Amino acid sequence: MRAALITQPRTLELQEVPAPTPGPGQVRVRVGATGVCGTDVHLFDGHFHARLPLIPGHEIAGVIDQVGAGVRELEEGQLVALDPVIACGQCWACRRGQRQHCLRFEALGVTQAGGFAQYVLAPAANAYPVRHLSVAEAAFAEPLGCVAWGILRLRPEPGSNALLFGAGPIGLLLMQALLVSGVTEVTVVDPVAERLALAKSLGASHTVQTGPSMAQALRDLEPHGFDIVAEATGIPSVVEDMPRYAAVGGKLLIFGVAPEEATVRISPYDIFQRDLSLIGSFSLNATIPLALNWLESGRIRVEPLISHRMPLEELHKALEYKEHPGMGNALKVLITPEG
Ligand SMILES: [Zn+2]
Ligand SMILES: [Zn+2]
C-alpha cells in the first residue's frame, strides 16, 4: 500500500509498504479521509517523543475491509470513524476513567501507524460505526471528540454567553459545540476577516477582528465580561489576557496547544477575588459518540470547514499550510488516499 512516513525529523517520504493484516480483536480500515492537524506538524518536527519512522494521521475515517478473529459488532463494508487513543484499561489513569492519560498511552498516528496511508489497523473498540455522514464528515469525529471533551470539562451554564479567541477549524468546531450545549451567544475574535465571516455564517452572534480597538469593542459588547472565555489559538499572550474579559464567576477554557515551554502571568488574586475557574482540556476521552451525535443530527456543520482535499502525495503541502496559518487560505485539509 502507499503510505506517507516521517522517516526522520522534517523528512516525509511516500513509500510502498506491506498492507497490514488485522490480528485478533482488530479491524483493517481502507482510509477514506484523514484530517491534517497541528499535532502532525509537531510529529513532523520530531516532537511528542515521536518514534520514527511513523505513518502519522489520527483524524481517520474509512470503510472496514477486514476483521480479525473475535471481532463482534463490526463487519466488512461498514463506514467507521476511529478513536486514535489506545488505552490499556488497566493502569491507574484508565481505572479512573481518564483514557487519554493512560500510563501506557498509545495512539494511531502518534505512536502507531496512522491514517496517512491506504490502510490502517485499529482495535475494534476504537472503530465507531457512522450513519448518514460522508466519509469526509466522519473524519471530523476525532477533532470534534476533543471539542466534546472540552465541553464536558467546561460544563457551560444554560443561557451563558461566551467569548472565543480563534476561528480556525478547531475554534469553529468549539463555537458550534458551545451553541448546542446551552450557550446562547458566542462572540468570536480572529485576525482573519474571512474566518470571522465564516464564524458568523455558522452562528457567531458577534465577531471582532484582532487589533488595537479589540479590547474596547469587547467591553462595549459585555461591560461586565463574559461567562465563558475560551481560546483555540495556542498563543500564550491570548491566554494571558483571558481573565480581563471574564465576568465574575467566569470560566476560562484553555483549548489551544501552546508551546510546551511557554509561560504566562496571571494574577492569583484576580482568580481568587472574582471566583474565576481556569480549565484545561486534553485530547478526547470516550467522546467520539457525542461528536457523532452532533454530526449526525446536523447540529454541527463541518463541510464549510473543509478548504482542501489532497492526495497522499500532497501531505507535504498540507503540513506547510498548517505551519504557516493563512497560507493557501487553508482551514481543514483532508488527505484522501484513494484520490
Ligand atoms: Zn488532531
Ligand atoms: Zn492505561
Side-chain angles (χ1 to χ4, degrees):
M1 67 170 183
R2 276 175 305 117
L5 285 91
I6 301 170
T7 51
Q8 50 180 306
R10 301 205 61 82
T11 305
L12 193 68
E13 284 181 25
L14 199 68
Q15 290 184 5
E16 192 67 36
V17 299
T21 321
Q26 289 184 320
V27 295
R28 186 172 86 171
V29 173
R30 193 174 73 246
V31 178
T34 300
V36 180
C37 161
T39 298
D40 300 315
V41 175
H42 288 296
L43 290 167
F44 180 56
D45 285 336
H47 300 158
F48 293 166
H49 312 287
R51 298 196 298 260
L52 305 179
L54 171 75
I55 302 174
H58 57 276
E59 304 180 358
I60 313 163
V63 173
I64 293 179
D65 91 319
Q66 279 184 17
V67 296
V71 171
R72 301 165 209 277
E73 316 283 336
L74 298 170
E75 53 192 45
E76 288 170 27
Q78 256 178 332
L79 176 61
V80 291
L82 298 184
D83 182 344
V85 175
I86 301 172
C88 77
Q90 301 178 47
C91 73
W92 179 86
C94 282
R95 287 180 190 276
R96 294 165 64 101
Q98 302 275 10
R99 303 179 75 248
Q100 78 283 31
H101 297 292
C102 174
L103 300 178
R104 299 178 190 93
F105 178 88
E106 297 271 343
L108 301 175
V110 181
T111 66
Q112 299 185 5
F116 294 136
Q118 285 181 290
Y119 297 94
V120 64
L121 287 186
N126 289 56
Y128 289 79
V130 171
R131 295 177 306 156
H132 319 305
L133 294 178
S134 69
V135 72
E137 291 169 317
F140 282 82
E142 194 276 343
L144 193 53
C146 296
V147 166
W149 178 240
I151 294 288
L152 293 179
R153 297 272 303 130
L154 181 65
R155 298 193 173 278
E157 302 280 334
S160 53
N161 63 35
L163 169 61
L164 170 66
F165 291 94
I170 285 289
L172 293 171
L173 291 177
L174 181 56
M175 180 198 79
Q176 296 183 76
L178 288 165
L179 288 170
V180 296
S181 303
V183 173
T184 312
E185 291 201 323
V186 182
T187 297
V188 178
V189 174
D190 197 274
V192 183
E194 292 79 17
R195 291 184 173 199
L196 292 177
L198 184 54
K200 195 92 198 200
S201 76
L202 290 170
S205 44
H206 307 279
T207 58
V208 175
Q209 202 160 2
T210 315
S213 58
M214 177 192 79
Q216 190 57 49
L218 294 176
R219 255 191 302 278
D220 289 346
L221 279 170
E222 290 296 339
H224 297 289
F226 294 82
D227 302 315
I228 292 166
V229 181
E231 67 82 34
T233 66
I235 300 171
S237 60
V238 169
V239 174
E240 193 160 76
D241 275 349
M242 285 166 73
R244 63 192 283 208
Y245 299 113
V248 289
K251 297 174 176 178
L252 313 176
L253 177 67
I254 298 181
F255 200 80
V257 185
E260 272 183 72
E261 67 284 1
T263 56
V264 296
R265 284 165 62 93
I266 286 179
S267 156
Y269 181 81
D270 188 36
I271 303 281
F272 151 76
Q273 198 270 334
R274 296 201 300 126
D275 279 326
L276 301 182
S277 303
L278 189 55
I279 299 164
S281 170
F282 174 67
S283 186
L284 71 168
N285 184 13
T287 41
I288 295 278
L290 173 48
L292 287 175
N293 283 350
W294 281 337
L295 291 170
E296 289 171 349
S297 66
R299 299 292 303 283
I300 290 187
R301 291 168 54 208
V302 295
E303 279 288 346
L305 309 185
I306 303 171
S307 61
H308 298 76
R309 293 162 205 255
M310 296 178 171
L312 268 179
E313 290 73 12
E314 289 180 35
L315 176 58
H316 212 282
K317 198 200 285 182
L319 291 177
E320 236 173 278
Y321 284 177
K322 208 70 216 171
E323 278 182 299
H324 307 284
M327 187 177 178
N329 282 324
L331 270 173
K332 187 51 113 181
V333 179
L334 297 181
I335 299 296
T336 54
E338 297 298 321

